[in-house]
Amino acid sequence: IPLVIAGNAVGILTVAHTKAGLYKEQEMTMLYKIVGQASQAVTRLEEVVTLERGKLQAMVESMQDGVLMTDQNFRVLVANSSLRSAVSVPNGRELTLFDIIDACGGVFDVKGRLEESIKLDRTFVAGEVNLLGSIYQVFIFPVKSHATEGLGVLGGGIIFHDITRERASEKMREDFTSMMVHELRSPLDGIKKIGEIL
């Protein structure tokens, strides 16, 4: 009896015995129906899982921050396009943790922090990491399953939050403040001296 899931034959159920006439046509028909119903149920379940996975992937893709998830062996499971553009890896090519390590240029130990996060079940925050001209705040955290007891830490997650604009506006504010202080100091000194003379 063929096992068909989502229109594809995934296996064959074989029932055999050396004794002739052991299996009646009515029993075989019932077996066909049971296998058919099981195949339909698995097909519907697979469709639901595919739909939910698509929703999750769409949500991750729409995030402005770079998002990465690895398993416990540091294999990349999820990486959105914001992260790929931050580390200059095109969408067609497979992203690995080494791509991120290379992009950090030895300034930030991504793998070491990720390993610590998974083993110690702790979250780490790196203040400023420069990736290809942009400044990022990096959050590294363990990914845990609260739905299934006993699984514990499934892997690690990394979020790259782009703070380039914030740093640029801070610098602009500091430059403006120092310029205003400098520009106002001379006239105020002049007014003070005139006041003393008067």
Side-chain angles (χ1 to χ4, degrees):
I1 302 171
L3 297 171
V4 180
I5 296 174
N8 298 318
V10 295
I12 296 175
L13 176 64
T14 304
V15 181
H17 198 278
T18 55
K19 188 175 178 184
L22 185 65
Y23 304 109
K24 308 287 186 253
E25 186 176 331
Q26 184 181 3
E27 293 168 340
M28 293 305 294
T29 303
M30 188 183 306
L31 190 58
Y32 269 105
K33 285 181 182 178
I34 290 170
V35 170
Q37 288 173 352
S39 294
Q40 288 174 355
V42 170
T43 299
R44 283 193 298 273
L45 181 62
E46 192 173 81
E47 288 170 356
V48 168
V49 167
T50 302
L51 178 68
E52 293 303 316
R53 186 178 290 141
K55 287 179 186 176
L56 181 63
Q57 187 64 32
M59 182 197 69
V60 170
E61 277 299 319
S62 65
M63 293 176 72
Q64 296 295 316
D65 293 335
V67 177
L68 174 90
M69 180 186 167
T70 69
D71 61 11
Q72 289 187 341
N73 297 318
F74 310 110
R75 287 187 299 257
V76 175
L77 302 175
V78 176
N80 67 356
S81 54
S82 296
L83 177 71
R84 288 177 171 280
S85 64
V87 295
S88 288
V89 173
N91 278 336
R93 195 174 72 100
E94 185 180 346
L95 180 80
T96 66
L97 194 60
F98 295 112
D99 293 318
I100 295 163
I101 292 168
D102 289 344
C104 288
V107 175
F108 179 65
D109 183 15
V110 177
K111 187 175 185 288
R113 284 292 184 190
L114 191 58
E115 193 172 0
E116 260 183 273
S117 177
I118 291 171
K119 284 185 181 173
L120 302 177
D121 193 12
R122 283 185 48 205
T123 299
F124 295 99
V125 179
E128 292 184 5
V129 175
N130 195 328
L131 290 179
L132 307 172
S134 295
I135 302 167
Y136 292 89
Q137 186 174 27
V138 182
F139 301 89
I140 299 177
F141 52 92
V143 176
K144 298 181 258 188
S145 173
H146 296 293
T148 311
E149 295 269 336
L151 283 179
V153 177
L154 302 174
I158 305 175
I159 295 177
F160 286 84
H161 177 62
D162 192 349
I163 57 173
T164 308
R165 286 187 182 151
E166 295 167 23
R167 291 299 178 257
S169 39
E170 274 180 33
K171 184 175 179 344
M172 192 182 309
R173 190 189 76 228
E174 288 170 5
D175 291 348
F176 177 76
T177 305
S178 67
M179 180 186 73
M180 289 305 293
V181 166
H182 178 72
E183 293 296 323
L184 288 174
R185 185 174 291 147
S186 298
L188 288 175
D189 281 344
I191 293 170
K192 182 180 173 189
K193 286 180 182 173
I194 289 173
E196 289 171 359
I197 291 171
L198 289 174

